[in-house]
Amino acid sequence: LARSRLFWREWVLVKEKNREIVEEKMKNQTIRDLTHIAIVAALYVVLTIVPPFNLISYGPYQFRIAEMFNLLGFYNRKYIIAVTLGCVIANFFSFNMIDVVVGSLSTLVFVGSGVYFFDRFKNQDILGGLFDKAHVYFAFYFSFFMVTIAAELSLVAQAPFWATWFTVALGELASLLVGAVLIKKLAKVIDFVS
């Protein structure tokens, strides 16, 4: 009984500490951060749903230009929230609600994990300074995990799995590599870090 009380007392202390940490992090979110998140989420939505971009943003043959914003997570983690939010909103315009869940969760999980895994390669230029090594590694990593979108399209739209995985991953890779060049150049004139 004493061990049980000790356990519960420690559990309450840990829970209280976690609440304090979350409250502190929320205090650190400034209006500026929230504005940056909103702007990037809005840009993601616009570059996905507005014609002519909407024609190439959904289905088994995708080239979502907005996916370049995934790379902003290397500059500040707040942009992981921004692209996830943008993806949620943009996927409401897709052909089914499953895409809202699967696509958005895939974005959150794989952008977050990709930034975590490849952050150590940041600021290492390759191909004569054209690309940041972290962005290239991330592009291949994230494109590989388009397997989740291929599986979704295979189940929902009866698209052939292997062909869909290939085309969606190829479109994602192209979008991210083009985005890597653009984001790298923009980062020289726009402060994505703060």
Side-chain angles (χ1 to χ4, degrees):
L1 189 61
R3 286 172 72 181
S4 176
R5 283 186 192 149
L6 180 63
F7 168 79
W8 284 110
R9 196 173 312 139
E10 287 178 10
W11 183 79
V12 168
L13 289 173
V14 167
K15 188 173 179 182
E16 189 64 27
K17 183 67 175 169
N18 286 342
R19 187 179 62 74
E20 290 171 10
I21 290 170
V22 168
E23 286 176 0
E24 185 62 31
K25 285 188 177 196
M26 290 305 291
K27 286 179 190 173
N28 291 337
Q29 288 289 325
T30 65
I31 297 299
R32 184 178 185 185
D33 290 330
L34 296 176
T35 303
H36 290 168
I37 290 168
I39 289 169
V40 170
L43 286 170
Y44 186 103
V45 172
V46 167
L47 289 175
T48 304
I49 69 169
V50 173
F53 304 120
N54 64 339
L55 299 175
I56 56 173
S57 295
Y58 301 100
Y61 303 102
Q62 293 184 20
F63 180 79
R64 273 196 187 186
I65 296 164
E67 289 291 292
M68 71 178 159
F69 295 126
N70 293 351
L71 300 167
L72 292 177
F74 284 102
Y75 297 94
N76 192 313
R77 302 304 188 260
K78 69 184 172 188
Y79 296 118
I80 297 170
I81 297 166
V83 294
T84 302
L85 182 60
C87 187
V88 167
I89 296 167
N91 284 349
F92 271 110
F93 293 88
S94 70
F95 54 92
N96 65 52
M97 289 303 292
I98 293 172
D99 197 30
V100 174
V101 176
V102 173
S104 305
L105 283 176
S106 292
T107 296
L108 177 63
V109 168
F110 298 121
V111 171
S113 61
V115 168
Y116 175 78
F117 290 140
F118 303 116
D119 195 52
R120 65 177 171 244
F121 299 107
K122 193 167 58 178
N123 299 323
Q124 296 179 26
D125 290 342
I126 57 173
L127 295 176
L130 183 63
F131 292 105
D132 186 303
K133 188 186 280 189
H135 295 172
V136 172
Y137 287 171
F138 175 85
F140 281 96
Y141 172 81
F142 197 78
S143 297
F144 174 80
F145 283 106
M146 288 295 101
V147 67
T148 57
I149 305 307
E152 172 200 339
L153 290 168
S154 179
L155 293 172
V156 173
Q158 286 74 45
F161 174 77
W162 294 107
T164 303
W165 186 14
F166 177 75
T167 58
V168 173
L170 192 61
E172 186 70 26
L173 182 63
S175 175
L176 286 170
L177 290 177
V178 168
V181 173
L182 291 173
I183 295 293
K184 188 172 189 287
K185 289 188 183 299
L186 284 173
K188 292 177 181 174
V189 294
I190 299 173
D191 180 17
F192 292 128
V193 176
S194 63

